[in-house]
Amino acid sequence: MTMSKKIDSILEKYPPKVKKNRMKHIVVKGKNEKDEIEANTRTMPGIISNRGCCFAGCKGVVLGPLRDVVHIVHGPVGCSYYTWGTRRHKGRSKDGESNFLSYCFTTDMQESDIVFGGEKRLRKAVKEAYELFKPEAITISSTCPVGLIGDDIQAVAKEAEEEFGIQVMAFNCEGYKGVSQSAGHHIANNVLMQDVIGTGDAETKTYAINILGEYNIGGDGWEISRILGKIGYHIVSVMTGDGTYKELKSAHKADLNLVQCHRSINYIAEMIEIKYGTPWLKVNFIGIESTINTLRNVAKYFGDEVLIQRTEEVIAEELTSIQEAMDMYKKMCEGKTALLFVGGSRAHHYQGLLKELGIETVMAGYEFGHRDDYEGRDVIPYIKMDADSRNIPDLHVTKDEKNYRLYLSPEKLEALKKEMPLSRYDGMIKEMKNGSYVIDDLNHFESEELLKSLKPSLFCSGIKDKYVAQKMGIFSKQLHSYDYSGPYAGFKGAVIFAKDVSMGMNTPTWGFITPLWKQEPLLQGEVMEE
Ligand code: CFN
Ligand code: HCA
């Protein structure tokens, strides 16, 4: 069955309202004049989505990796316990520094707290955490029931700050807020920008950079830092993989922000640019060509001949060390196909690396990407926000509640576009081959149907559907946690990824499994239309 017939047959199974909705989330690259996709909208009730929640995006993704902070989860024990360590953001302290990553802090709310309020319990937890661990800072993240009963976590945080003399930040990131993890990213970004970034005064050296949207999953950030360090960059802070509150405070002192995951941290990148005039550059350290391009672009930004020369030397050295292994694995991967379905950036970032191994991506999708992650966007050209530029007519920097916003009149924006090269964040679709499929918020029914008909060699996804695929005899690589492996970033990471997928796809195991589509259906039924 062709892919388009398959999609039609999937859509035909839905009631009309669902069909209408899902059609807008499916795009065939190049079929229409514009590749527009609906994204970042609410999943229809009844659909088994892979999406996570606001709390996952705030505490799990953005805050969690900060290792010198005690992160208290205010909610029932499961919210904290079942997310403990599963994302595999690694952290290693230097001498004398704290590392609380291996701990799981929760207020363990009970029924009585739901009835009488949980603030007392939270106060006690903050006090206990402070007395036992003396952390640099404490975060409080609330989960669903807290929002429903209305505990004032901001007031508890404020009180605790006065009592203990450390920063205590409260995040109202109840799971049900927004439509996915994405709302949680935004909440975390706002508070970090408001309360942390800009409060430090650490010394910086030449070529000072921050790495944003890099969470050190499986050690990715360490491999990226190794390469950048070898070239001669000074990494002021990493947001937030193996990162610290202490370093974050001085992040505004860097010369340039590199943005690896745009989705989760574009807010901070933009707010720093607007408030401090630090430009940001979209980078990608996944895949060899992407890593090389990234390194060249960063060197070009600084424009120093010695740095450009050193970059080329490091690239040559690194390439020599991996070439043989990559060639070997390529022979094992050539001609294979992949389906990619991951959060809000990796379904894009991994396509280059797969291509380098000879693996074609036939379908890719994000759980919670926004339209710009798919279709790209114009990035406002770099405007140095010194005292003078704040007086440019038509250019207004305002701070509404917690966001720094830049308002430009359309005329001014057009004029600026002419004056300086407009940087663009291209998004995922542009880099895909014509005819390939892009599906937003892919659900379990759709995943199973596509796996059955396309029978890809590789399904890159997460824990919720990994074993569904493998029971069908299709190798599934978790692109969230990297299963138990990594790093996959940079040069050395590319080899580890190549090895893992070569082994996974070529193991004889899959031949011993009788895929479900070769067995008799266990259940059969008709979906009733409205
Ligand atoms: S590490 Fe990142 S890279 S932060 Fe984001 S959008 Fe999640 S936790 Mo899972 S693996 Fe995934 Fe991205 Fe950015 Fe991770 S693709 S879903 S919220 N994500
Ligand atoms: C999250 C975290 C997650 C889940 C991974 C998965 C992660 O969104 O809650 O579903 O396999 O990377 O740990 O994305």
Side-chain angles (χ1 to χ4, degrees):
M1 197 188 279
T2 63
M3 180 76 167
S4 95
K5 283 215 172 98
K6 183 70 222 169
I7 297 283
D8 288 346
S9 84
I10 290 173
L11 291 170
E12 285 320 314
K13 296 262 171 27
Y14 288 133
K17 238 171 138 175
V18 180
K19 178 179 168 183
K20 200 168 150 219
N21 175 293
R22 287 303 298 152
M23 276 168 72
K24 297 186 203 145
H25 296 260
I26 303 174
V27 160
V28 185
K29 162 83 190 274
K31 196 174 162 199
N32 297 318
E33 203 182 314
K34 273 191 167 170
D35 295 312
E36 287 180 348
I37 191 162
E38 187 152 301
N40 189 33
T41 54
R42 195 168 289 280
T43 306
M44 294 194 90
I47 280 183
I48 307 178
S49 164
N50 259 18
R51 283 174 162 177
C53 67
C54 180
F55 162 72
C58 180
K59 189 269 170 185
V61 172
V62 181
L63 304 176
L66 291 170
R67 65 173 146 78
D68 57 349
V69 178
V70 163
H71 302 289
I72 298 177
V73 177
H74 186 34
V77 67
C79 305
S80 194
Y81 184 78
Y82 291 112
T83 53
W84 183 21
T86 54
R87 184 160 169 261
R88 299 191 69 241
H89 48 248
K90 297 188 168 202
R92 194 165 43 207
S93 320
K94 298 183 200 92
D95 284 346
E97 286 179 348
S98 330
N99 182 355
F100 303 115
L101 288 191
S102 50
Y103 291 93
C104 177
F105 300 94
T106 173
T107 51
D108 181 22
M109 275 180 112
Q110 302 295 315
E111 266 174 37
S112 59
D113 303 310
I114 303 291
V115 177
F116 299 108
E119 288 171 20
K120 225 165 100 188
R121 193 180 266 270
L122 177 61
R123 242 177 245 122
K124 202 169 145 229
V126 176
K127 185 173 192 304
E128 200 177 313
Y130 174 74
E131 284 169 356
L132 282 174
F133 297 101
K134 298 279 175 349
E136 297 274 340
I138 292 178
T139 67
I140 300 166
S141 297
S142 47
T143 71
C144 294
V146 175
L148 298 176
I149 63 171
D151 279 355
D152 190 348
I153 63 166
Q154 303 293 342
V156 175
K158 198 158 174 270
E159 239 174 65
E161 271 190 352
E162 279 157 22
E163 190 176 348
F164 306 122
I166 60 161
Q167 205 163 12
V168 181
M169 287 164 277
F171 297 80
N172 286 98
C173 56
E174 291 82 4
Y176 55 75
K177 279 190 176 164
V179 302
S180 67
Q181 293 90 316
S182 184
H185 301 147
H186 206 156
I187 291 170
N189 276 226
N190 284 350
V191 177
L192 293 180
M193 185 69 198
Q194 170 93 358
D195 295 345
V196 185
I197 296 166
T199 59
D201 198 22
E203 282 291 310
T204 52
K205 302 191 195 115
T206 32
Y207 313 135
I209 54 171
N210 294 311
I211 310 173
L212 275 66
E214 170 45 54
Y215 301 95
N216 204 29
I217 310 300
D220 273 358
W222 289 335
E223 170 62 2
I224 295 170
S225 300
R226 180 189 71 79
I227 302 166
L228 292 167
K230 199 168 159 185
I231 294 174
Y233 292 103
H234 170 214
I235 300 166
V236 181
S237 76
V238 182
M239 295 182 208
T240 52
D242 194 25
T244 61
Y245 164 79
K246 218 167 141 187
E247 286 163 351
L248 205 58
K249 291 169 91 169
S250 300
H252 62 297
K253 297 191 74 190
D255 302 318
L256 178 69
N257 286 333
L258 312 189
V259 176
Q260 170 71 17
C261 168
H262 169 269
R263 179 67 271 128
S264 60
I265 211 139
N266 68 87
Y267 319 100
I268 287 183
E270 264 164 33
M271 287 190 273
I272 294 185
E273 177 162 26
I274 292 164
K275 195 173 172 197
Y276 299 103
T278 319
W280 62 274
L281 195 66
K282 178 70 187 75
V283 298
N284 181 15
F285 285 100
I286 303 294
I288 295 163
E289 200 187 314
S290 299
T291 302
I292 293 174
N293 287 341
T294 291
L295 295 175
R296 287 187 176 147
N297 286 343
V298 180
K300 209 153 84 190
Y301 169 78
F302 287 101
D304 181 326
E305 280 309 317
V306 180
L307 188 74
I308 292 171
Q309 177 63 28
R310 178 70 190 138
T311 304
E312 293 306 323
E313 281 163 19
V314 170
I315 291 171
E317 214 176 287
E318 294 287 328
L319 277 181
T320 314
S321 73
I322 61 163
Q323 205 62 63
E324 200 182 324
M326 286 304 281
D327 290 346
M328 179 180 81
Y329 292 124
K330 189 172 176 184
K331 285 192 195 119
M332 296 167 75
C333 296
E334 194 99 63
K336 309 255 189 212
T337 54
L339 303 191
L340 266 58
F341 182 61
V342 215
S345 80
R346 292 188 172 173
H348 175 197
H349 286 160
Y350 274 80
Q351 290 190 29
L353 178 52
L354 290 166
K355 207 165 160 193
E356 280 158 9
L357 291 168
I359 304 170
E360 193 197 340
T361 301
V362 287
M363 189 286 289
Y366 292 133
E367 283 174 31
F368 52 79
H370 296 202
R371 278 186 66 179
D372 51 8
D373 301 298
Y374 285 106
E375 299 169 22
R377 57 180 271 212
D378 289 344
V379 175
I380 292 187
Y382 166 49
I383 306 157
K384 186 97 182 122
M385 293 302 299
D386 51 28
D388 287 346
S389 59
R390 276 168 208 260
N391 297 326
I392 296 177
D394 301 332
L395 177 65
H396 311 286
V397 182
T398 62
K399 193 166 158 280
D400 60 357
E401 287 175 45
K402 289 179 177 167
N403 286 300
Y404 293 89
R405 286 187 197 282
L406 184 71
Y407 294 107
L408 281 174
S409 66
E411 302 79 46
K412 182 73 197 168
L413 183 61
E414 279 314 306
L416 276 169
K417 279 184 190 175
K418 281 192 197 115
E419 266 170 45
M420 36 190 125
L422 182 72
S423 56
R424 234 189 101 81
Y425 164 47
D426 280 333
M428 180 171 83
I429 298 181
K430 192 166 177 236
E431 284 180 24
M432 293 179 72
K433 238 169 92 172
N434 271 348
S436 44
Y437 278 72
V438 183
I439 308 185
D440 176 66
D441 191 15
L442 189 79
N443 58 54
H444 276 222
F445 166 64
E446 291 165 5
S447 305
E448 285 185 40
E449 291 299 307
L450 290 179
L451 287 170
K452 273 188 227 168
S453 59
L454 296 175
K455 304 183 188 64
S457 333
L458 174 62
F459 181 47
C460 290
S461 183
I463 193 68
K464 294 160 196 153
D465 41 20
K466 177 185 172 88
Y467 295 100
V468 174
Q470 297 208 153
K471 282 175 189 171
M472 292 179 175
I474 293 166
F475 171 55
S476 176
K477 175 85 236 165
Q478 292 190 65
L479 273 197
H480 296 257
S481 67
Y482 302 162
D483 296 296
Y484 309 98
S485 189
Y488 287 163
F491 299 101
K492 290 192 196 309
V495 178
I496 301 173
F497 179 79
K499 179 180 168 206
D500 288 354
V501 294
S502 302
M503 287 195 313
M505 289 188 299
N506 292 296
T507 167
T509 317
W510 310 121
F512 299 126
I513 293 169
T514 311
L516 292 179
W517 62 81
K518 288 194 181 158
Q519 299 168 20
E520 284 297 298
L522 300 174
L523 270 177
Q524 217 163 20
E526 286 291 311
V527 178
M528 303 296 286
E529 298 213 345
E530 272 176 11

